[in-house]
């Protein structure tokens, strides 16, 4: 009996000695943090993403064919945006508009023509009627788009934006907005303003 007790005491002593001499466990490396895939885009570098700019290039308009056209096509050019009509007292301004286009298009100048029937119903007919008249009577060669609404709840987003930059409803046909090479509105001209004043502003903007 004494022998059994002695053996038990010796086994307990050896167990304690072994436990005291066991090396401490090595520290484990930290696991990488994994982002929630529902809130983090994987593989997209957002550090150099350019914010959208407030300029004319953000808009699409309709060509005479009904196709959508991005005004981004005219990036870097000086633009003159005009709402026009074929039976207006200001319709002869088409002659000077075409002359400016011929004179300055090689310097990065474009006229964007938007027929509008809101003022005295002076732009009747469809696009083919209007474009045919303008090309045969005034020989225009600058871009002419589908008929547009410039005032009211159905106004084109382009014209809502133009009017927000230089406030005021469009009063009549042949109101003009001058756009710089960054796509920003820099001037507005009412139909009755001198065409020489408009031309000088165009020339100054081209020269910048």
């Amino acid at each position: 009996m004494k022998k059994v007790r002695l053996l038990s005491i010796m086994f307990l002593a050896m167990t304690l000695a072994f436990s005291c001499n066991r090396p401490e466990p090595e520290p484990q490396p930290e696991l990488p943090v994994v982002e929630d895939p529902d809130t983090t885009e994987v593989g997209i570098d957002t550090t150099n993403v350019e914010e959208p700019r407030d300029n004319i290039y953000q808009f699409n308009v309709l060509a005479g064919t009904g196709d959508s056209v991005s005004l981004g096509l005219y990036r870097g050019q000086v633009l003159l945006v005009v709402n026009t009509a074929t039976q207006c007292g200001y319709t002869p301004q088409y002659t000077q508009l075409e002359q400016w286009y011929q004179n300055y298009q090689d310097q990065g100048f474009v006229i964007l023509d938007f027929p509008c029937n809101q003022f005295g119903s002076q732009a009747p007919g469809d696009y083919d009627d209007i474009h045919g008249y303008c090309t045969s009577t005034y020989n225009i060669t600058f871009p002419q788009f589908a008929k547009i609404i410039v005032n009211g709840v159905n106004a084109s987003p382009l014209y809502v934006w133009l009017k927000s930059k230089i406030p005021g409803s469009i009063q009549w046909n042949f109101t003009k907005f001058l756009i710089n090479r960054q796509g920003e509105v820099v001037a507005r001209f009412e139909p009755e303003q001198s065409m020489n004043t408009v031309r000088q502003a165009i020339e100054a903007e081209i020269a910048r």
Side-chain angles (χ1 to χ4, degrees):
M1 186 68 178
K2 289 181 178 180
K3 187 181 289 187
V4 173
R5 184 177 296 174
L6 180 60
L7 289 173
S8 297
I9 293 172
M10 290 176 63
F11 179 76
L12 179 60
M14 291 174 64
T15 302
L16 290 172
F18 179 78
S19 298
C20 292
N21 294 325
R22 187 167 56 188
E24 292 292 328
E26 294 184 3
Q28 298 297 313
E30 293 185 6
L31 294 175
V33 178
V34 178
E35 299 287 352
D36 182 350
D38 292 334
T39 58
T40 303
E41 293 287 348
V42 178
I44 298 177
D45 180 8
T46 59
T47 57
N48 294 314
V49 175
E50 183 178 353
E51 291 297 321
R53 294 196 59 189
D54 183 19
N55 55 43
I56 198 171
Y57 310 131
Q58 65 190 295
F59 297 101
N60 286 10
V61 294
L62 291 181
T65 59
D67 295 327
S68 180
V69 177
S70 169
L71 294 184
L73 291 172
Y74 303 103
R75 189 179 300 274
Q77 302 188 67
V78 175
L79 307 176
L80 190 70
V81 180
V82 191
N83 64 294
T84 61
T86 53
Q87 297 182 9
C88 176
Y90 295 111
T91 301
Q93 288 187 4
Y94 265 124
T95 298
Q96 289 163 292
L97 292 173
E98 176 61 22
Q99 187 63 57
W100 296 343
Y101 184 58
Q102 293 297 325
N103 289 346
Y104 307 128
Q105 62 175 315
D106 290 342
Q107 300 174 55
F109 173 68
V110 181
I111 296 170
L112 305 182
D113 178 1
F114 293 93
C116 177
N117 199 40
Q118 278 193 289
F119 306 103
S121 299
Q122 293 180 347
D126 59 19
Y127 171 81
D128 290 337
D129 296 328
I130 293 170
H131 191 64
Y133 175 81
C134 291
T135 53
S136 63
T137 305
Y138 295 102
N139 301 310
I140 70 164
T141 57
F142 47 80
Q144 186 173 58
F145 298 92
K147 290 171 70 170
I148 201 169
I149 296 174
V150 299
N151 289 333
V153 295
N154 295 318
S156 161
L158 168 62
Y159 267 83
V160 172
W161 178 78
L162 290 170
K163 292 183 293 181
S164 75
K165 299 306 173 185
I166 302 183
S169 295
I170 306 300
Q171 297 300 310
W172 206 252
N173 309 305
F174 289 88
T175 300
K176 306 167 190 71
F177 290 88
L178 184 61
I179 313 295
N180 66 16
R181 296 185 191 275
Q182 290 72 49
E184 302 160 334
V185 180
V186 294
R188 172 176 172 166
F189 305 95
E190 301 307 319
E192 67 275 10
Q193 286 185 258
S194 165
M195 293 292 274
N196 282 335
T197 299
V198 181
R199 176 183 55 77
Q200 290 169 3
I202 292 169
E203 291 175 344
E205 201 56 49
I206 290 173
R208 292 187 193 280

